[in-house]
Amino acid sequence: MELSHRQEQIIEIVKENGPITGENIAERLNLTRATLRPDLAILTMAGFLDARPRVGYFYTGKTGSELISEQLKKLRVRDQHSVPVVVNDKVSVYDAITTMFLEDVGTLFVVNKQSMLVGVLSRKDLLRATMGNQELSEVPVHIIMTRTPKIKICYKDDLLVDAATKLIENQIDALPVVIDRDDGQEVVGRLTKTNITKAFVDLVRKE
């Protein structure tokens, strides 16, 4: 977040004199309290300052990068995940490749007839299948997919940073977002590296 000259002046005054009232800050800058109100609101919402009733403003001691880091640690998977693209475990590799192309995704989640997660298909899995001499329209995806329990998953209430760590540590492009059911895990979303990047960019722009 880029601060204006006046906002930087306010921070310095609060650093040196806090806690200090808005009226006293305004007096030091030879301005009215009303004129400063927007700046004080911005600095408080951004986390540079904190305010307490009948006490005044005080400096939090946090840098811009620390404030962004704090916001990142509050983000949840539910705020960022995309709609999942799923295929049945009986469909052919050819149909799975077609689905991946048409949906423009890098990962497909494979479900059984009860719509519970049983596998994951990546571009690498499908590419590996095309390198053989088999007829792709006759090979079911359950032959080549990555199966549970090797599948890495996440839940809506997981911290986004924890899900991102799973993506990095396991060198995968997407995680299925699931809900635990009596007969398995229902896929309700997908979390990708693109989702993570977008969350970071949006947060920086917001700050």
Side-chain angles (χ1 to χ4, degrees):
M1 176 178 178
E2 188 172 346
L3 301 178
S4 69
H5 176 64
R6 186 160 70 195
Q7 289 165 353
E8 290 177 346
Q9 285 183 302
I10 293 171
I11 288 176
E12 289 304 316
I13 290 173
V14 176
K15 271 185 186 179
E16 295 174 6
N17 303 280
I20 182 173
T21 64
E23 288 75 12
N24 287 337
I25 296 172
E27 286 178 9
R28 289 171 181 269
L29 293 173
N30 294 317
L31 298 170
T32 64
R33 176 71 173 82
T35 301
L36 280 191
R37 190 171 290 118
D39 292 312
L40 290 170
I42 289 171
L43 293 173
T44 303
M45 287 188 292
F48 290 100
L49 303 181
D50 203 348
R52 292 177 184 168
R54 296 184 296 277
V55 175
Y57 294 91
F58 59 93
Y59 180 58
T60 63
K62 296 172 182 175
T63 64
S65 59
E66 288 173 330
L67 294 169
I68 291 177
S69 177
E70 283 187 357
Q71 292 301 314
L72 275 174
K73 291 175 183 176
K74 293 177 183 177
L75 295 178
R76 301 277 173 177
V77 169
R78 67 170 60 253
D79 303 317
Q80 305 298 329
H81 73 77
S82 305
V83 176
V85 179
V86 302
V87 294
N88 186 271
D89 59 352
K90 299 298 191 295
V91 304
S92 68
V93 170
Y94 178 84
D95 288 338
I97 292 172
T98 301
T99 300
M100 184 174 283
F101 177 77
L102 292 176
E103 297 290 343
D104 192 24
V105 294
T107 304
L108 299 174
F109 304 127
V110 186
V111 298
N112 59 19
K113 62 181 179 180
Q114 288 81 32
S115 297
M116 296 297 112
L117 178 69
V118 293
V120 171
L121 282 171
S122 68
R123 287 193 183 99
K124 288 182 180 179
D125 294 326
L126 296 174
L127 179 60
R128 191 179 302 116
T130 65
M131 297 176 70
N133 294 321
Q134 31 195 1
E135 178 58 51
L136 298 181
S137 60
E138 297 177 1
V139 179
V141 294
H142 68 78
I143 299 295
I144 67 167
M145 70 185 185
T146 299
R147 298 173 176 271
T148 55
K150 292 184 178 180
I151 300 173
K152 304 302 177 183
I153 62 169
C154 65
Y155 297 90
K156 283 189 174 184
D157 286 332
D158 286 352
L159 291 174
L160 193 65
V161 67
D162 291 338
T165 301
K166 283 187 181 180
L167 288 174
I168 294 169
E169 290 182 346
N170 294 282
Q171 298 182 5
I172 52 180
D173 294 325
L175 292 171
V177 185
V178 302
I179 294 176
D180 290 329
R181 303 295 188 191
D182 291 339
D183 52 351
Q185 293 174 322
E186 179 186 358
V187 182
V188 295
R190 81 177 190 275
L191 187 74
T192 67
K193 290 179 179 178
T194 300
N195 296 135
I196 303 293
T197 303
K198 183 179 182 300
F200 178 75
V201 171
D202 288 347
L203 185 58
V204 171
R205 285 178 174 170
K206 180 181 176 181
E207 289 297 320

